Every structure is written in C-alpha cells, then in structure tokens.
Amino acid sequence: MYFSCCHILQVVVEVEVTHLNINTLSNIKVEGVFYVNQPLEALMFEELKHSVQSGLVGGFLPGMKQIANVASLPGIVGKSIGLPDVHSGYGFAIGNMAAFDMDDPTSIVSPGGVGFDINCGVRLLRTNLTEKDVQPVKVCIFQIYHFKFF
C-alpha cells in the first residue's frame, strides 16, 4: 500500500529543495505540491509509510494526503501548497496554504486552513450580510470584537 501511494508523486530537485507534485484523488481540482529539504522529505515519506501500515487506526492523515485533500476542495484556485515546515495537521496540513475563488458559489471558507485546532485566533461567523453591508462599519466591528475577546 505504501508503494501504491508513492507512485502519485513526481520528485523535482531544485537547489537542494524537493518539489513534490501530488496527484492522487479522482476529484482533485488543482495540483498539490510541497517544498522540502532532504531531511524533511524523509520525514514526510516516513509519515506516509507509517500511516498505511495495516492495523493502525486513528491519528492524523499524513501531510501529503492532507495536501491532496485540500487540492480537491470546492472553489480552490492555483495550487494546494505545502511550505517547508509542512507536517500533519487537523484538516489542512500544518504549513499548507490554498486560495479559493469567492465568486464561485461552491467555494468554501475553512478555518482549518489557519489552525483552529490550537486556537490560532480564527473566528468564523456565518451571516447574510454582504461585503457592501459590512464595509462602512468594518473598523468598528473589529474594535468591538478585538477588545471584547483579547
């Protein structure tokens, strides 16, 4: 199973940094890539190998699979990118970044992309307000929110 996961990767070495292309899911919408040095590359592959050993359950998906999952999210544009500190996270890999087209009605807004699992200052509120409604009062909203919670 580990080797079947590895066939999805294309290794491109550039100035001692490895750029790995991840194309694994049938519903992938953009390319998934991550940029790592050789020691981190070894850790990423070890994480993938460990995750597919039979009998293991629970825990986080390996960072490589999380990058691929993000690349399949609705409305994603560009690439799902793992930065040099990438490792398994909660939803998104830690160090994984992505952009979404907010003009696409199927797009998502995901606090998981910032690190809500360790309370990295993410607050998400769903309203029926439009940008036009909020624009004139956004500074007041920020100040009220900021001083109330911090």
Side-chain angles (χ1 to χ4, degrees):
M1 177 120 173
Y2 168 72
F3 294 106
S4 68
C5 289
C6 289
H7 86 279
I8 64 173
L9 303 170
Q10 172 192 7
V11 178
V12 181
V13 178
E14 301 171 352
V15 193
E16 296 184 31
V17 174
T18 302
H19 165 196
L20 293 163
N21 295 326
I22 303 167
N23 299 305
T24 176
L25 303 174
S26 61
N27 61 341
I28 201 160
K29 295 172 177 39
V30 299
E31 182 180 34
V33 300
F34 63 97
Y35 301 89
V36 293
N37 59 20
Q38 288 181 345
L40 186 52
E41 178 185 349
L43 289 173
M44 292 292 288
F45 278 97
E46 184 61 31
E47 180 183 63
L48 179 64
K49 186 176 184 177
H50 180 73
S51 75
V52 297
Q53 290 176 347
S54 63
L56 296 177
V57 295
F60 296 115
L61 285 174
M64 283 189 221
K65 288 189 176 186
Q66 290 178 319
I67 292 168
N69 286 343
V70 170
S72 68
L73 290 173
I76 190 168
V77 295
K79 297 178 181 180
S80 172
I81 299 173
L83 300 176
D85 65 339
V86 67
H87 57 281
S88 287
Y90 187 75
F92 277 55
I94 305 302
N96 188 186
M97 60 180 236
F100 297 88
D101 178 3
M102 296 319 321
D103 290 330
D104 178 347
T106 66
S107 278
I108 62 146
V109 174
S110 174
V114 181
F116 70 97
D117 57 314
I118 57 171
N119 198 20
C120 292
V122 177
R123 303 293 185 268
L124 180 64
L125 172 68
R126 165 67 169 87
T127 77
N128 290 326
L129 297 173
T130 65
E131 181 180 359
K132 185 178 175 183
D133 298 331
V134 175
Q135 193 65 28
V137 294
K138 71 179 182 182
V139 172
C140 292
I141 292 171
F142 169 77
Q143 289 174 344
I144 290 168
Y145 172 79
H146 181 73
F147 294 114
K148 182 174 182 179
F149 294 102
F150 296 100

